[in-house]
Amino acid sequence: MAYDIIIVGAGPAGLTAAIYARRASKTVLVLEAKAWGGQIINTPDIENYPVAAHISGFDFADKLYNQAVGLGAEVRLEKVTGVADLGEKKQITTTRDTYECGAVILATGSENRKLGVDGEDKLVGRGVSYCATCDGNFFRKKDVAVVGGGNTALEDALYLADLANKVYLIHRRDSFRGEDSTVQRLSARENVEFVYNSTVNRLIADKRLTAVEVRNKLDGSLREIPVSGLFVAVGRVPENESFRTLVQVDEAGYVVAGEDCHTAVPGIFTAGDNRTKMVRQLVTAAADGAVAATEAVKYLNG
Ligand code: NAP
């Protein structure tokens, strides 16, 4: 067998799994389609990971990657296009190669959900962004909007309030899903306006975004808000497309697995944000990585 364990995804769940698997002396290959670190690299300041009161997402990911590689995990930037269950042997196909292993951990995480408004795709890089920390700097002293009501939207709005002239936070309900403490910090900022009960109806642009039209859900009224940037933070969707025929996924596309991280297929495990779970946080992703690797090692050792 070429590898004992192949881990699909080099985010916090996948890299933690790699650490645990290497500490159990298993050979490990981690395959990642984009950049190692996962979505956490876009978080400017992590405040809720035990012991690390303040650490940037990039530094966190960097330390995690170095820890996994330092222990002997191999990491390759290749997109996995298929996983085949051949009984004791599993075969992984990527855009570059084919690999064999004894156990697989699916730790692919999730990707940005789109708003689904006309012109959204065309305006990416011309006003529409899914990453405030990546693109916020382009909007210094300009007016911008953030759409969403979860922690990502709140943190994006707070980050942008330091850079932009004005930040409109557009949310479809009248209360936020994200943490109260961040809402309070935002309420204290003079350049932040909450636009409640509203959805983005239309993107107005010439070559670049110039305004968003929002619809008030209560009375149906339309309001045009002139902005040069729109930061979409309306949640994420699991990246399980390549595994839909391999393992069971729920109606939202999450791999069905309990806290033991087992899928219904022997030797195939899952960890992190792409599995069915109640709490999707950095700490639960890391916990999943530990559990999935431990279970994979048990499976391999018989
Ligand atoms: P989320 O918690 O799922 O929130 C998505 C938000 O977008 C919700 O407020 C939702 O509205 C809204 N929404 C969804 N679809 C929409 C649509 N089509 N149009 C308009 N609004 C829409 O997603 P998230 O904020 O990306 O967070 C994902 C997970 O990561 C969460 O568990 C979050 O706590 C966690 N996270 C944690 C931290 C941290 O701890 N520092 C930072 C970032 C994220 P409704 O509220 O009406 O459903």
Side-chain angles (χ1 to χ4, degrees), residues 48 115 149-152 155 171-173 177 234-235 280-281:
N48 57 3
L115 268 183
N151 277 322
T152 304
E155 289 180 9
H171 182 37
R172 63 184 178 184
R173 293 188 294 119
R177 180 180 290 276
V234 295
R280 292 193 175 84
Q281 292 280 301

Side-chain angles (χ1 to χ4, degrees), residues 23-103:
R23 284 173 54 83
S25 303
K26 298 299 178 194
T27 53
V28 173
L29 172 64
V30 185
L31 294 165
E32 167 59 53
K34 297 167 193 156
W36 48 263
Q39 58 166 308
I40 198 65
I41 59 171
N42 299 322
T43 298
D45 188 19
I46 300 164
E47 293 181 348
N48 57 3
Y49 197 81
V51 176
H54 289 281
I55 182 168
S56 76
F58 185 85
D59 284 349
F60 182 93
D62 201 40
K63 284 179 195 290
L64 188 54
Y65 172 85
N66 286 326
Q67 193 175 352
V69 170
L71 284 165
E74 200 179 323
V75 181
R76 292 193 192 176
L77 293 182
E78 293 178 32
K79 182 175 168 55
V80 171
T81 52
V83 178
D85 173 34
L86 310 176
E88 276 189 17
K89 196 162 69 178
K90 318 292 176 199
Q91 195 174 62
I92 314 276
T93 311
T94 73
T95 40
R96 287 215 191 133
D97 222 328
T98 300
Y99 302 94
E100 284 181 358
C101 63

Side-chain angles (χ1 to χ4, degrees), residues 191-202:
N191 64 340
V192 175
E193 179 182 329
F194 297 155
V195 183
Y196 287 123
N197 296 312
S198 298
T199 53
V200 175
N201 187 51
R202 193 160 65 98

Side-chain angles (χ1 to χ4, degrees), residues 162-225:
D162 284 336
L163 299 170
N165 177 56
K166 167 119 192 190
V167 179
Y168 298 89
L169 179 52
I170 301 164
H171 182 37
R172 63 184 178 184
R173 293 188 294 119
D174 63 358
S175 66
F176 292 107
R177 180 180 290 276
E179 282 178 25
D180 236 23
S181 59
T182 320
V183 176
Q184 280 165 24
R185 279 154 82 184
L186 280 167
S187 306
R189 305 298 285 260
E190 278 181 2
N191 64 340
V192 175
E193 179 182 329
F194 297 155
V195 183
Y196 287 123
N197 296 312
S198 298
T199 53
V200 175
N201 187 51
R202 193 160 65 98
L203 302 177
I204 300 161
D206 39 44
K207 283 188 181 140
R208 299 185 54 87
L209 184 77
T210 54
V212 293
E213 182 184 78
V214 296
R215 181 188 296 279
N216 185 302
K217 289 173 71 186
L218 302 182
D219 59 14
S221 61
L222 297 173
R223 173 183 174 191
E224 193 173 308
I225 304 175

Side-chain angles (χ1 to χ4, degrees), residues 113-115 120 128-131 147 156 230-234:
R113 175 179 289 124
K114 303 257 171 90
L115 268 183
E120 182 177 358
V128 172
S129 168
Y130 299 84
C131 178
V147 57
D156 283 0
L230 176 68
F231 291 85
V232 179
V234 295

